[in-house]
């Protein structure tokens, strides 16, 4: 999967699908996967927090702080700044692999460097 190839521009309103939603029957004693926190507890923003922790492992604390992660149910919304398209592609892949993610939206993401792909004239 490759993200958009735009340099020095704002990316707004891109949505990446992660496949079908798991069809597990809902039970009152089961925490929905998008609500599971870092320690397995119920957390309304658990999915976003788990993804943020993975981003910190991948990027380091300082660069991960440049990316905002919000959650709307199973939808993850990424915004902020990344150093290149390859980084954005990796972050989208990490978010899509996380249990509970149904879609990833990229909104107001600044890509600061061209790594590969098309150049904007």
């Amino acid at each position: 999967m490759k993200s958009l190839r735009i340099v020095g521009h704002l990316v707004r309103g891109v949505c990446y699908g992660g496949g079908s939603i798991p069809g597990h029957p809902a039970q009152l004693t089961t925490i929905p996967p998008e609500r599971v926190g870092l320690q397995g507890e119920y957390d309304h923003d658990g999915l976003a927090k788990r993804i943020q922790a993975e981003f910190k492992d991948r990027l380091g604390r300082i660069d991960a702080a440049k990316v905002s992660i919000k959650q709307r149910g199973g939808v993850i919304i990424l915004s902020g700044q990344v150093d290149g398209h390859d980084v954005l592609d990796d972050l989208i892949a990490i978010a899509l692999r996380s249990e509970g993610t149904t879609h990833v939206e990229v909104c107001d993401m600044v890509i600061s460097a061209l790594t590969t792909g098309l150049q904007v004239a």
Side-chain angles (χ1 to χ4, degrees), residues 3-7 83-89 111 113-116:
S3 66
L4 293 175
R5 302 292 181 208
I6 302 171
V7 177
D83 291 335
H85 297 287
D86 55 338
V87 175
L88 179 58
D89 289 339
I111 301 170
L114 177 65
T115 54
T116 60

Side-chain angles (χ1 to χ4, degrees), residues 45-92:
D45 298 316
L47 178 59
K49 290 177 182 176
R50 287 185 283 126
I51 292 171
Q52 180 69 39
E54 288 188 54
F55 283 7
K56 284 180 184 175
D57 289 344
R58 163 67 173 85
L59 298 175
R61 184 174 296 275
I62 293 173
D63 286 335
K66 296 177 186 176
V67 179
S68 170
I69 303 168
K70 295 188 177 161
Q71 174 181 349
R72 186 179 64 242
V75 177
I76 291 297
I77 302 132
L78 302 177
S79 60
Q81 180 179 346
V82 293
D83 291 335
H85 297 287
D86 55 338
V87 175
L88 179 58
D89 289 339
D90 287 348
L91 297 181
I92 292 167

